[in-house]
Amino acid sequence: MAHVTVRYFAGARAAAGRAEEVTPAGRSLDQLLAELAERHGGRLVSVLAVSSFLIDGVTCHDRQKPLPAGATIDVLPPFAGG
Protein backbone atom coordinates (compact mmCIF):
# COMPACT_ATOMS: atom_id res chain seq x y z
CA MET A 1 0.00 0.00 0.00
CA ALA A 2 1.24 3.51 -0.84
CA HIS A 3 1.84 5.95 1.98
CA VAL A 4 2.50 9.61 2.75
CA THR A 5 4.58 11.00 5.59
CA VAL A 6 3.16 13.74 7.81
CA ARG A 7 5.76 15.89 9.59
CA TYR A 8 4.71 18.08 12.50
CA PHE A 9 6.57 21.25 13.46
CA ALA A 10 6.56 23.38 16.64
CA GLY A 11 3.11 23.44 18.31
CA ALA A 12 1.79 20.82 15.89
CA ARG A 13 4.48 18.42 17.11
CA ALA A 14 3.48 19.01 20.71
CA ALA A 15 -0.23 18.63 19.93
CA ALA A 16 0.24 15.39 17.96
CA GLY A 17 2.72 14.00 20.48
CA ARG A 18 5.14 13.01 17.75
CA ALA A 19 7.43 14.51 15.10
CA GLU A 20 6.01 12.51 12.19
CA GLU A 21 3.80 9.63 11.18
CA VAL A 22 3.06 7.57 8.08
CA THR A 23 -0.47 7.15 6.75
CA PRO A 24 -2.05 5.71 3.56
CA ALA A 25 -1.92 7.85 0.40
CA GLY A 26 -4.75 8.54 -2.04
CA ARG A 27 -6.89 10.80 0.13
CA SER A 28 -7.15 14.57 -0.11
CA LEU A 29 -5.49 16.88 2.39
CA ASP A 30 -8.88 17.68 3.92
CA GLN A 31 -9.61 13.97 4.37
CA LEU A 32 -6.17 13.40 5.88
CA LEU A 33 -6.62 16.30 8.29
CA ALA A 34 -10.00 14.94 9.43
CA GLU A 35 -8.38 11.57 10.14
CA LEU A 36 -5.50 13.18 12.05
CA ALA A 37 -7.91 15.29 14.09
CA GLU A 38 -9.91 12.21 15.02
CA ARG A 39 -6.77 10.24 15.88
CA HIS A 40 -5.05 12.90 18.01
CA GLY A 41 -7.92 14.93 19.47
CA GLY A 42 -8.88 18.48 20.30
CA ARG A 43 -5.49 20.05 20.83
CA LEU A 44 -4.34 19.07 17.34
CA VAL A 45 -7.69 20.17 15.88
CA SER A 46 -6.99 23.69 17.17
CA VAL A 47 -3.49 23.71 15.70
CA LEU A 48 -4.61 22.35 12.31
CA ALA A 49 -7.22 25.12 12.05
CA VAL A 50 -4.49 27.79 11.93
CA SER A 51 -1.70 25.86 10.21
CA SER A 52 -0.25 26.02 6.72
CA PHE A 53 0.51 22.84 4.79
CA LEU A 54 3.31 22.01 2.38
CA ILE A 55 3.20 19.00 0.08
CA ASP A 56 6.72 18.05 -0.95
CA GLY A 57 7.85 21.57 -0.04
CA VAL A 58 5.13 23.39 -2.01
CA THR A 59 2.20 25.25 -0.48
CA CYS A 60 -1.03 23.31 -0.90
CA HIS A 61 -3.65 25.27 -2.87
CA ASP A 62 -6.09 22.43 -3.64
CA ARG A 63 -7.07 20.64 -0.46
CA GLN A 64 -9.40 18.27 -2.39
CA LYS A 65 -6.75 16.84 -4.73
CA PRO A 66 -5.58 13.31 -3.81
CA LEU A 67 -2.19 13.25 -2.12
CA PRO A 68 0.43 11.49 -4.23
CA ALA A 69 2.04 8.30 -2.95
CA GLY A 70 5.36 8.97 -1.25
CA ALA A 71 4.57 12.63 -0.56
CA THR A 72 5.71 14.46 2.55
CA ILE A 73 3.13 16.74 4.16
CA ASP A 74 4.52 19.40 6.51
CA VAL A 75 2.18 20.84 9.13
CA LEU A 76 3.34 24.37 9.92
CA PRO A 77 1.55 26.23 12.70
CA PRO A 78 2.10 29.98 13.01
CA PHE A 79 5.58 30.73 14.33
CA ALA A 80 6.49 33.57 16.70
CA GLY A 81 9.66 35.56 16.50
CA GLY A 82 11.44 37.49 13.83
Side-chain angles (χ1 to χ4, degrees):
M1 177 182 278
H3 291 88
V4 297
T5 301
V6 180
R7 298 191 305 183
Y8 300 102
F9 292 87
R13 177 182 292 178
R18 62 188 65 207
E20 70 178 47
E21 63 186 296
V22 176
T23 187
R27 292 164 295 153
S28 70
L29 180 61
D30 280 344
Q31 291 169 324
L32 173 63
L33 297 178
E35 177 189 313
L36 297 174
E38 184 176 314
R39 183 181 304 157
H40 297 293
R43 189 166 171 212
L44 184 60
V45 170
S46 298
V47 173
L48 293 175
V50 296
S51 292
S52 297
F53 305 95
L54 301 180
I55 300 172
D56 291 334
V58 178
T59 301
C60 178
H61 295 289
D62 182 357
R63 293 172 58 135
Q64 298 304 311
K65 182 178 178 182
L67 297 168
T72 299
I73 294 85
D74 294 329
V75 181
L76 305 171
F79 293 95

